[in-house]
Amino acid sequence: MFEFADPWFLILVALPLVAYFYLPPRSPQSAVLIVPETIQQHMLAQSAQKRPGWRHRSVLIPSIIWLLLVVALAGPRVVAPNQALPMSGRDLMLVLDLSGSMVRDDFAVDGKTATRLEVVKTVGAEFIAAREGDRVGLVVFGAEAYVAAAPTFDTAAVAQKISDMVIGISGRATNIGDGLGLALKRFAASDAQSKVIILLSDGTNNAGAAMPTQVAALAAQMGVRIHTIALGPVTREEAPDQRGVVDAQALNAIARLSGGQMFQVRTTDDLRNAAASLDALEPTARAGLAAQTYQDFWIWPAALAGVLAIGLGVSRL
């Protein structure tokens, strides 16, 4: 649909007519050069022969230039309705374990041996990139926890952050409590209808003062669900004395206390299935709010007015 951004500027079209009829006439100027009468007649005759009909063009072309400038000021544009970004009303924080045990290569991707972190990077980035409509943030933790990406609707940027993560940037211990606490702190001022934390970890909490179960109980009071993903082919219950096994029981307790679910992940397919299950539990928005975008065309009448003005100036040289 065609419209003007500022149609009130079109009133200026009549300004030259108002000036013509209501401004006092200009006083005639005295001659600056006195020449013999015969020379004067010769000059006037040459002028009339050189530019026939110029009297009409001297009014028409400036009028067209003025009209084009007024149209450009009014801002001609085309309005096109578009579909805006869907809004789910959900804040989602991904809490990612970057402790030393994430370098264990007991997973496989496309038939090749891969570390736990490489699997999380691949599947986690895909999962976050698909969360269109959610406001997504990222917290990573090892011995310390920090916010790697503040909550944003730019899910592609958060997915890229996940792909760039490396072991050791936050220490090699496992501080699940602080990771969850920092994510929960981000929800303190949130007005989202739904608040969700997804924790991906492969170990037992062995650093920090905050107990993960205490943070989970606080999350329940704040209305925040925590879903946990236990990364590792072997659990502590299955091999109590083995190092690097996942404490599925502790992760299940965190999820249960907050009203979420725990997913046991032993293979890459398990992780993809967990991501699909989370999509079902926390569906993204499918319909967006109507929005309007504009394609401006003011540049064309402005450019044409400029060309005509240059041509008028050159013709009078």
Side-chain angles (χ1 to χ4, degrees):
M1 183 178 68
F2 182 82
E3 68 172 24
F4 289 100
D6 300 296
W8 293 108
F9 277 113
L10 295 175
I11 298 175
L12 297 176
V13 170
L15 186 60
L17 292 176
V18 173
Y20 179 80
F21 285 109
Y22 290 97
L23 289 180
R26 186 177 59 178
S27 300
Q29 299 291 331
S30 59
V32 297
L33 179 65
I34 300 176
V35 296
E37 184 176 353
T38 55
I39 296 177
Q40 180 185 10
Q41 292 176 353
H42 179 71
M43 292 174 63
L44 291 175
Q46 275 192 333
S47 178
Q49 292 175 3
K50 185 177 180 181
R51 294 175 184 155
W54 176 252
R55 181 174 301 175
H56 301 289
R57 292 198 298 273
S58 65
V59 175
L60 179 62
I61 295 179
S63 299
I64 294 175
I65 292 173
W66 176 255
L67 178 62
L68 290 171
L69 290 176
V70 170
V71 170
L73 283 173
R77 63 186 183 181
V78 172
V79 183
N82 283 329
Q83 203 67 12
L85 177 69
M87 305 287 286
S88 69
R90 180 189 298 110
D91 278 359
L92 187 151
M93 292 294 295
L94 187 69
V95 181
L96 179 58
D97 187 347
L98 290 184
S99 62
S101 57
M102 290 289 285
V103 298
R104 290 180 177 271
D105 54 354
D106 46 12
F107 278 82
V109 176
D110 298 329
K112 297 181 180 179
T113 301
T115 65
R116 299 175 183 180
L117 180 61
E118 289 170 342
V119 173
V120 169
K121 281 184 177 183
T122 302
V123 180
E126 292 175 0
F127 173 75
I128 290 299
R131 302 305 301 179
E132 186 180 34
D134 290 348
R135 184 163 55 186
V136 180
L138 175 65
V139 171
V140 298
F141 69 89
E144 305 292 338
Y146 71 92
V147 177
T152 176
F153 288 109
D154 189 355
T155 54
V158 180
Q160 184 60 48
K161 282 282 187 180
I162 295 173
S163 300
D164 294 339
M165 291 294 104
V166 294
I167 298 295
I169 58 176
S170 55
R172 302 183 70 85
T174 306
N175 191 351
I176 297 176
D178 282 1
L180 291 176
L182 192 56
L184 200 59
K185 187 177 180 181
R186 284 284 169 171
F187 290 142
S190 172
D191 57 355
Q193 300 172 1
S194 177
K195 305 168 188 176
V196 179
I197 293 174
I198 298 177
L199 169 66
L200 293 93
S201 180
D202 69 339
T204 302
N205 186 73
N206 56 23
M211 295 298 296
T213 51
Q214 294 175 340
V215 179
L218 179 59
Q221 296 176 14
M222 295 175 60
V224 178
R225 293 183 301 281
I226 301 176
H227 300 298
T228 59
I229 297 178
L231 293 166
V234 181
T235 66
R236 184 171 297 279
E237 291 74 23
E238 296 168 342
D241 299 326
Q242 184 176 332
R243 297 186 61 183
V245 296
V246 61
D247 192 346
Q249 186 175 357
L251 294 175
N252 185 46
I254 293 170
R256 181 171 43 81
L257 283 170
S258 65
Q261 292 191 23
M262 190 272 287
F263 300 89
Q264 176 67 53
V265 171
R266 300 176 185 268
T267 65
T268 306
D269 289 338
D270 286 344
L271 186 54
R272 294 187 186 278
N273 291 336
S277 298
L278 286 169
D279 272 333
L281 287 172
E282 308 291 347
T284 56
R286 299 304 177 194
L289 299 174
Q292 288 183 332
T293 58
Y294 302 97
Q295 185 176 2
D296 294 316
F297 292 100
W298 64 267
I299 186 64
W300 300 109
L304 182 56
V307 171
L308 289 176
I310 294 173
L312 181 62
V314 170
S315 66
R316 290 183 174 179
L317 293 177

